[in-house]
Protein backbone atom coordinates (compact mmCIF):
# COMPACT_ATOMS: atom_id res chain seq x y z
CA UNK A 1 0.00 0.00 0.00
CA UNK A 2 1.51 3.33 -1.10
CA UNK A 3 0.87 6.89 0.08
CA UNK A 4 -0.53 7.85 3.47
CA UNK A 5 -2.27 5.11 5.45
CA UNK A 6 -5.82 6.38 4.94
CA UNK A 7 -5.37 6.96 1.22
CA UNK A 8 -3.76 3.53 0.95
CA UNK A 9 -6.85 1.95 2.54
CA UNK A 10 -9.07 3.93 0.19
CA UNK A 11 -7.22 2.90 -2.97
CA UNK A 12 -7.23 -0.71 -1.78
CA UNK A 13 -11.02 -0.65 -1.49
CA UNK A 14 -11.36 1.04 -4.86
CA UNK A 15 -9.22 -1.70 -6.40
CA UNK A 16 -11.13 -4.51 -4.68
CA UNK A 17 -14.48 -3.21 -5.90
CA UNK A 18 -13.33 -1.67 -9.22
CA UNK A 19 -14.57 1.79 -8.23
CA UNK A 20 -13.75 5.09 -9.89
CA UNK A 21 -11.33 7.03 -7.64
CA UNK A 22 -13.06 9.19 -5.06
CA UNK A 23 -11.51 12.37 -3.63
CA UNK A 24 -8.54 11.58 -1.37
CA UNK A 25 -9.97 10.83 2.07
CA UNK A 26 -6.91 12.41 3.68
CA UNK A 27 -8.24 15.82 2.68
CA UNK A 28 -11.38 15.14 4.72
CA UNK A 29 -9.56 13.97 7.87
CA UNK A 30 -10.40 15.69 11.13
CA UNK A 31 -8.44 14.66 14.22
CA UNK A 32 -9.29 17.56 16.53
CA UNK A 33 -11.89 16.16 18.94
CA UNK A 34 -13.22 19.55 20.03
CA UNK A 35 -13.79 20.62 16.45
CA UNK A 36 -15.42 17.30 15.58
CA UNK A 37 -17.71 17.56 18.59
CA UNK A 38 -18.73 21.06 17.57
CA UNK A 39 -19.51 19.91 14.03
CA UNK A 40 -21.23 16.61 14.71
CA UNK A 41 -21.71 15.95 18.40
CA UNK A 42 -19.02 13.24 18.62
CA UNK A 43 -19.43 11.25 21.85
CA UNK A 44 -16.50 11.27 24.31
CA UNK A 45 -15.96 7.50 23.89
CA UNK A 46 -16.03 7.64 20.07
CA UNK A 47 -12.66 7.60 18.26
CA UNK A 48 -13.98 7.32 14.67
CA UNK A 49 -16.97 8.84 12.92
CA UNK A 50 -17.97 10.10 9.49
CA UNK A 51 -19.66 13.46 9.90
CA UNK A 52 -22.28 14.23 7.25
CA UNK A 53 -23.93 17.58 6.58
CA UNK A 54 -26.44 17.47 3.75
CA UNK A 55 -27.68 20.61 2.06
CA UNK A 56 -29.80 21.01 -1.09
CA UNK A 57 -27.71 19.68 -3.97
CA UNK A 58 -24.59 18.99 -1.92
CA UNK A 59 -23.17 16.78 0.83
CA UNK A 60 -20.29 17.75 3.10
CA UNK A 61 -18.21 15.00 4.68
CA UNK A 62 -15.48 14.77 7.27
CA UNK A 63 -13.79 11.67 8.68
CA UNK A 64 -13.03 12.06 12.36
CA UNK A 65 -10.22 9.91 13.71
CA UNK A 66 -8.82 10.70 17.12
CA UNK A 67 -5.27 12.08 16.98
CA UNK A 68 -3.96 9.11 19.00
CA UNK A 69 -5.47 6.72 16.43
CA UNK A 70 -3.84 8.58 13.53
CA UNK A 71 -0.47 8.44 15.29
CA UNK A 72 -0.70 4.65 15.67
CA UNK A 73 -1.11 4.25 11.89
CA UNK A 74 2.38 5.59 11.18
CA UNK A 75 4.60 3.05 9.47
CA UNK A 76 1.76 1.13 7.79
CA UNK A 77 2.51 -2.04 9.76
CA UNK A 78 -0.14 -3.93 11.72
CA UNK A 79 0.91 -4.90 15.23
CA UNK A 80 -0.81 -6.15 18.34
CA UNK A 81 -0.65 -2.66 19.86
CA UNK A 82 -2.13 -0.84 16.85
CA UNK A 83 -4.63 -3.34 15.42
CA UNK A 84 -7.50 -1.41 17.00
CA UNK A 85 -6.37 1.78 15.25
CA UNK A 86 -6.25 0.02 11.87
CA UNK A 87 -9.75 -1.37 12.40
CA UNK A 88 -11.09 2.10 13.21
CA UNK A 89 -9.36 3.58 10.17
CA UNK A 90 -10.61 0.79 7.89
CA UNK A 91 -14.19 1.29 9.07
CA UNK A 92 -14.02 5.05 8.66
CA UNK A 93 -12.54 4.86 5.17
CA UNK A 94 -15.12 2.23 4.21
CA UNK A 95 -17.94 4.54 5.30
CA UNK A 96 -16.37 7.45 3.43
CA UNK A 97 -16.00 5.51 0.16
CA UNK A 98 -19.53 4.11 0.39
CA UNK A 99 -21.09 7.50 1.09
CA UNK A 100 -19.19 9.17 -1.77
CA UNK A 101 -20.22 6.46 -4.23
CA UNK A 102 -23.87 6.58 -3.19
CA UNK A 103 -23.88 10.37 -3.43
CA UNK A 104 -22.42 10.17 -6.94
CA UNK A 105 -25.16 7.72 -7.96
CA UNK A 106 -27.84 9.60 -6.01
CA UNK A 107 -28.68 6.37 -4.18
CA UNK A 108 -29.78 6.21 -0.54
CA UNK A 109 -27.79 4.33 2.08
CA UNK A 110 -28.92 3.18 5.51
CA UNK A 111 -26.90 3.08 8.72
CA UNK A 112 -27.23 -0.71 8.75
CA UNK A 113 -25.73 -0.97 5.26
CA UNK A 114 -22.85 1.34 6.22
CA UNK A 115 -22.07 -0.79 9.26
CA UNK A 116 -22.44 -4.06 7.33
CA UNK A 117 -20.13 -2.90 4.52
CA UNK A 118 -17.71 -1.49 7.07
CA UNK A 119 -17.42 -4.83 8.86
CA UNK A 120 -16.84 -6.67 5.57
CA UNK A 121 -14.23 -4.14 4.50
CA UNK A 122 -12.39 -4.46 7.82
CA UNK A 123 -12.06 -8.19 7.18
CA UNK A 124 -10.75 -7.66 3.64
CA UNK A 125 -8.36 -4.85 4.52
CA UNK A 126 -6.84 -6.53 7.56
CA UNK A 127 -6.46 -9.72 5.54
CA UNK A 128 -4.55 -7.77 2.87
CA UNK A 129 -2.50 -5.73 5.34
CA UNK A 130 -1.33 -8.88 7.08
CA UNK A 131 -0.58 -10.55 3.74
CA UNK A 132 1.74 -7.66 2.79
CA UNK A 133 3.66 -8.41 6.00
CA UNK A 134 3.92 -12.09 5.12
CA UNK A 135 1.23 -13.12 7.61
CA UNK A 136 -1.58 -15.33 6.31
CA UNK A 137 -4.10 -16.31 8.94
CA UNK A 138 -6.63 -19.04 8.15
CA UNK A 139 -9.94 -17.41 7.27
CA UNK A 140 -11.61 -19.11 10.23
CA UNK A 141 -9.09 -17.59 12.63
CA UNK A 142 -9.53 -14.10 11.17
CA UNK A 143 -13.32 -14.46 11.34
CA UNK A 144 -13.13 -15.35 15.03
CA UNK A 145 -10.62 -12.58 15.67
CA UNK A 146 -12.74 -9.85 14.11
CA UNK A 147 -16.34 -10.92 14.62
CA UNK A 148 -16.81 -13.31 17.51
CA UNK A 149 -16.02 -10.93 20.36
CA UNK A 150 -17.26 -7.47 19.35
CA UNK A 151 -16.94 -4.82 22.06
CA UNK A 152 -19.75 -2.29 21.92
CA UNK A 153 -19.46 1.16 23.40
CA UNK A 154 -21.43 1.54 26.62
CA UNK A 155 -22.97 4.80 25.39
CA UNK A 156 -24.91 3.06 22.59
CA UNK A 157 -28.66 2.90 22.96
CA UNK A 158 -30.63 -0.31 22.44
CA UNK A 159 -31.37 0.42 18.75
CA UNK A 160 -27.72 1.13 18.00
CA UNK A 161 -26.59 -2.01 19.80
CA UNK A 162 -29.09 -4.08 17.80
CA UNK A 163 -27.87 -2.55 14.54
CA UNK A 164 -24.19 -3.15 15.28
CA UNK A 165 -24.79 -6.73 16.39
CA UNK A 166 -26.86 -7.47 13.28
CA UNK A 167 -24.24 -5.91 10.99
CA UNK A 168 -21.49 -7.95 12.63
CA UNK A 169 -23.45 -11.18 12.36
CA UNK A 170 -24.33 -10.59 8.70
CA UNK A 171 -20.76 -9.58 7.81
CA UNK A 172 -19.36 -12.69 9.45
CA UNK A 173 -21.76 -14.88 7.50
CA UNK A 174 -20.88 -13.18 4.22
CA UNK A 175 -17.11 -13.33 4.75
CA UNK A 176 -17.34 -16.99 5.76
CA UNK A 177 -19.01 -17.76 2.41
CA UNK A 178 -16.51 -15.84 0.28
CA UNK A 179 -14.50 -17.84 -2.28
CA UNK A 180 -10.98 -18.47 -0.88
CA UNK A 181 -8.11 -16.09 -1.63
CA UNK A 182 -6.62 -18.66 -3.99
CA UNK A 183 -9.77 -18.41 -6.17
CA UNK A 184 -8.97 -14.80 -7.01
CA UNK A 185 -11.31 -14.28 -9.97
CA UNK A 186 -14.36 -15.82 -8.27
CA UNK A 187 -13.66 -13.87 -5.11
CA UNK A 188 -13.28 -10.58 -7.00
CA UNK A 189 -16.49 -11.18 -8.94
CA UNK A 190 -18.45 -12.00 -5.79
CA UNK A 191 -17.22 -8.92 -3.92
CA UNK A 192 -17.86 -6.50 -6.78
CA UNK A 193 -21.35 -7.80 -7.45
CA UNK A 194 -22.27 -7.66 -3.77
CA UNK A 195 -20.94 -4.11 -3.34
CA UNK A 196 -23.26 -2.83 -6.06
CA UNK A 197 -26.42 -4.21 -4.42
CA UNK A 198 -28.76 -1.99 -2.44
CA UNK A 199 -28.81 -2.44 1.32
CA UNK A 200 -31.87 -4.70 1.53
CA UNK A 201 -30.51 -6.77 -1.38
CA UNK A 202 -27.24 -7.28 0.48
CA UNK A 203 -29.06 -8.61 3.52
CA UNK A 204 -31.15 -10.92 1.35
CA UNK A 205 -28.07 -12.15 -0.53
CA UNK A 206 -26.38 -13.10 2.74
CA UNK A 207 -29.50 -14.91 3.96
CA UNK A 208 -29.66 -16.81 0.66
CA UNK A 209 -26.01 -17.80 1.02
CA UNK A 210 -26.46 -19.12 4.54
CA UNK A 211 -29.77 -20.99 4.16
Amino acid sequence: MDGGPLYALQTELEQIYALAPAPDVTGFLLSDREQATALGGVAPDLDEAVLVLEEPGTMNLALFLDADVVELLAGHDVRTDNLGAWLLAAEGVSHFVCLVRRAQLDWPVTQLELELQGEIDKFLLVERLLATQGVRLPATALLRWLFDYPELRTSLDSQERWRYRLATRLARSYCRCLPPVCSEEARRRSLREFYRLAGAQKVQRIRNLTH
Side-chain angles (χ1 to χ4, degrees):
M1 294 185 177
D2 299 323
L6 298 181
Y7 182 65
L9 292 173
Q10 176 183 343
T11 54
E12 195 76 15
L13 287 178
E14 289 169 350
Q15 187 276 326
I16 290 172
Y17 297 119
L19 304 175
D24 183 350
V25 65
T26 309
F28 296 81
L29 176 64
L30 178 63
S31 56
D32 184 307
R33 181 175 290 276
E34 288 189 9
Q35 187 178 359
T37 300
L39 288 173
V42 174
D45 62 344
L46 189 62
D47 290 330
E48 173 274 323
V50 175
L51 308 178
V52 182
L53 176 61
E54 292 190 78
E55 299 175 347
T58 186
M59 180 175 70
N60 298 303
L61 292 176
L63 171 58
F64 167 67
L65 281 178
D66 186 81
D68 291 339
V69 172
V70 175
E71 185 177 350
L72 285 169
L73 302 177
H76 290 228
D77 57 324
V78 178
R79 308 180 306 271
T80 303
D81 66 321
N82 72 356
L83 174 62
W86 279 106
L87 293 175
L88 287 170
E91 185 169 14
V93 171
S94 169
H95 292 168
F96 175 85
V97 170
C98 185
L99 284 166
V100 169
R101 173 173 168 77
R102 290 305 178 86
Q104 290 170 338
L105 297 172
D106 197 23
W107 287 3
V109 61
T110 66
Q111 288 182 306
L112 175 60
E113 183 183 357
L114 279 177
E115 297 304 333
L116 168 58
Q117 193 63 56
E119 293 298 315
I120 292 169
D121 291 347
K122 283 194 291 187
F123 175 85
L124 297 172
L125 290 170
V126 169
E127 182 180 62
R128 289 193 171 208
L129 282 165
L130 291 174
T132 63
Q133 297 175 206
V135 178
R136 289 197 177 275
L137 289 178
T140 52
L142 190 55
L143 286 168
R144 287 196 303 271
W145 191 19
L146 292 179
F147 297 129
D148 284 2
Y149 307 103
E151 295 185 8
L152 299 180
R153 293 182 292 113
T154 56
S155 64
L156 296 177
D157 61 32
S158 59
Q159 182 67 19
E160 290 169 326
R161 296 175 77 84
W162 171 84
R163 186 174 66 245
Y164 279 114
R165 287 196 175 106
L166 177 59
T168 299
R169 187 168 66 251
L170 290 169
R172 190 193 196 287
S173 296
Y174 177 74
C175 293
R176 182 172 56 84
C177 294
L178 272 174
V181 174
C182 59
S183 302
E184 184 176 350
E185 183 57 36
R187 186 181 177 90
R188 183 185 301 119
R189 186 168 55 250
S190 175
L191 287 167
R192 291 176 180 178
E193 180 185 355
F194 181 84
Y195 194 84
R196 286 160 173 79
L197 297 175
Q201 292 173 317
K202 289 181 178 180
V203 173
Q204 189 58 53
R205 174 65 59 85
I206 294 170
R207 288 175 174 161
N208 291 343
L209 287 171
T210 55
H211 290 89

